[in-house]
Amino acid sequence: MVDPDDHTVDELIEELETIDDAAELNSVLEAERAGRDRKTAREAVHRRLEAVGAVDGEGESEGDEPSEDADDLEGDTETEGEYEETREDVGDEAEGEEVDEVEAEEDEPDEPSEDAEEDDGLSHPTADKRHVRALQGGHYEDMWVFCETQQGELLDVSKEMLGKARELMDDYAEEYDEENVVAFVLGDDCEGLAEECIAYGADVAVYHDDDRLERFLHKPYTEVSAHMARGQGTAESTDWREYDEPRYVLFPATNNGRDLSAQVQAELDSGLASDCSGLFIEEEEISNPVKTGEPGVKKTFERVLHMKRPDFSGFEYSTILCLDNPDRDFHPQGCSVIPGSFEPMEPDYDREGLVVEHDMELEDDWFRVEITEHDELEAGIDLTGHEVIVCLGRGIADDPTEGMELGLDLVDQFGDAELGITRGIVTSSYQFDGHVEQYSKEERQIGETGQVVAPALYVAAGVSGAVQHKVGMDESDTVIAINTDLDARIRDFCDYFIEGDLFEVLPRLTAALEDGQLDLQAVADGGEDR
C-alpha cells in the first residue's frame, strides 16, 4: 500500500492515479488521517475515490460512515464560471439537512418584537450575493491586453502595453512555447482599431462593435470583457482559441482602465496588481504553506508574471505575484500598467494577424445611464519625449507666481524642454496670477497618478521626492535636485543635489546658461562641465 507520509501532496496525487481499488484508497485515506492529516492530501484521495466510482452523491465512500472530509470536499469543489447557489436561489432542490432549516424556524419569534426595527431592505445588502468560483484545473494561454480608445483612436498606453506584451511573449516562446498576444477592443466602429493593434504587436485582435459602446460605461464594458475572456459566444468568434481563460491580462492604469481591471478580474475570480511599471515572466520557488499545501515544502511555480510597483517606503519596488492555491486557480494573472512605463514598438502595417469580431447580445438594462450632453476638453500637455524637464514642487509656496516664472525662465534656455509640477501643487490652494495659472493644472502633473517621463535631464526644484513622484521620473538619465532640506528624499536618488532656495538658485542657473558659463546638457551627457 502507498504510505502517504512518504510523499508530498503532488507526489501522492501521482501515486493515487495508479490505484483503482476503493479499499486500498480508503486505507490510504485512513493512513493520512492517522499520520500527517493534510487537508489537501485527504481531498486528493476523495477525488480519486470519486473517479473510481467509490463515492456517492453525498461525498461519502461506499460502506463508510460520513466523514469530516466530505464537507471539505463539497465546499472546495469549483466549477467553470458557475455560481454557488443558496437555498433561496434554488428552492427545494438545494442540498442540505432539513433539520437545520426547521431549527432556524423554531428559533424565530412568531411575531416581531416591539423593539424590532422595520426592514428597509438595506440592512443586509449582500444577503443575496452569489460568488463566482475560480476555474479549477483550467487550461490557460496567451497574454491579453485591453486596448483603450478615445475619440476613435488608440491611447498611447494601449500601444505601449502591446509593445511590452510582444516583448514578454517573444521571450516566453523561447523559454516555454509559443502563445499569442491578444488585444481586445470595445467601441463604435472599432474594427479598424483592432487591425491597428496587429500593427503594434498583437497576434489576435478581438473587438466588439456597438454604437452604444462609443464611451466607456462600467457595466457593459465589464460584461463584454469577461465574456470575451471566458471564450463565450458563437463558434465563429471563439473557434480560434482552445483554452478556458487567458494566462495573463494587462489593463491601462487610466481612470477607465482602473475601473475595468478591478471589475473584470473580480468577475473572473482572480487577483489584480494595480499601477505597475515593470513586468517580467519567470519561475518562482515558494515555501508558503498556503500556496504549497503543506508546511516545510517548497514548490516551483512556472510562468509567473512578476508585476513590479513602487512600495510605500518611497525607494523600493514591490513585486506582486498571482499564484494558485492547492485547491483553486487564480487566472488570469492581471495588472494595470502606468502610462509611459514602456516604449511602444514601431508599427508594422504589413504585419499579419487575426482580427475577430466578438458576438454577444447586450442587455438594454446595462445602458440605463445615458450621456445626453458632453464637452470636449482641449488636448492636454504631453511631457513625454522631451530632452529636458524642469519640475516644480511645494518649494514655490513662498511666492507661487514667481516660482512658476523662474521655472519657465529656465525652460526657455533649452531647445526641447517642458515644465512639469508635482501633485502637491495641483492639490494646493496656491494663488497664481493669471499669466501662469495655466501651468498649475493637473495635465502637467508628474508621478504615479500623472505622467511618466524619462528625459535626458530632469531638474527638480523644491521637490521632496515622495514615492508617487519618483515613479513618474525614475527613468530620467540625469537628475539635478534643488532643495533647502538636506534630508529630502529626492537626495537619495538624484545625481546632483544643490542645497539652496530655488528662488535664489534658479535665477543663477538661468543666468549662467544665458552667458554660456554653464552647459547643463553637458552635465546630463556626462561631460566635463559639472
Side-chain angles (χ1 to χ4, degrees), residues 206-224:
V206 184
Y207 71 96
H208 191 102
D209 204 327
D210 190 302
D211 58 5
R212 294 172 295 178
L213 299 176
E214 179 182 5
R215 295 182 182 86
F216 178 83
L217 291 173
H218 177 95
K219 180 66 172 178
Y221 267 64
T222 298
E223 294 291 344
V224 174

Side-chain angles (χ1 to χ4, degrees), residues 8 62-63 105 123 141 183 195 207 220 224 235 343 415 423 466 489:
T8 66
E62 292 181 359
E105 291 175 357
S123 302
E141 287 185 19
E195 294 171 350
Y207 71 96
V224 174
E343 289 291 330
R423 182 163 182 78
R489 288 183 174 183

Side-chain angles (χ1 to χ4, degrees), residues 2-9 11-12 15 36 38 294:
V2 173
D3 184 353
D5 286 350
D6 295 338
H7 302 279
T8 66
V9 174
E11 292 171 347
L12 180 61
E15 291 291 335
R36 299 164 73 175
R38 298 163 294 184
E294 52 188 306

Side-chain angles (χ1 to χ4, degrees), residues 179-307:
E179 293 188 10
N180 292 323
V181 173
V182 180
F184 61 110
V185 186
L186 286 70
D188 177 28
D189 192 21
C190 59
E191 181 179 3
L193 296 178
E195 294 171 350
E196 189 175 359
C197 290
I198 301 296
Y200 277 96
D203 300 299
V204 181
V206 184
Y207 71 96
H208 191 102
D209 204 327
D210 190 302
D211 58 5
R212 294 172 295 178
L213 299 176
E214 179 182 5
R215 295 182 182 86
F216 178 83
L217 291 173
H218 177 95
K219 180 66 172 178
Y221 267 64
T222 298
E223 294 291 344
V224 174
S225 297
H227 195 265
M228 286 179 171
R230 293 192 184 110
Q232 297 170 328
T234 61
E236 290 79 8
S237 64
T238 61
D239 60 4
W240 61 273
R241 53 180 279 179
E242 296 180 352
Y243 53 87
D244 298 305
E245 291 177 0
R247 188 185 301 279
Y248 316 109
V249 61
L250 309 182
F251 298 87
T254 58
N255 290 337
N256 293 339
R258 289 188 178 104
D259 184 332
L260 184 67
S261 60
Q263 291 300 314
V264 171
Q265 289 297 95
E267 183 70 21
L268 299 176
D269 208 23
S270 190
L272 177 74
S274 60
D275 296 341
C276 296
S277 58
L279 302 171
F280 61 94
I281 299 172
E282 284 185 2
E283 67 179 30
E284 190 71 30
E285 188 175 65
I286 300 293
S287 58
N288 187 336
V290 174
K291 301 299 179 183
T292 63
E294 52 188 306
V297 173
K298 292 184 178 180
K299 181 177 179 181
T300 298
F301 291 81
E302 292 187 341
R303 311 169 194 241
V304 178
L305 180 63
H306 292 62
M307 300 166 281

Side-chain angles (χ1 to χ4, degrees), residues 109 111-120:
E111 306 236 348
S113 66
E114 295 180 359
D115 297 332
E117 296 182 4
E118 183 179 354
D119 185 3
D120 58 3

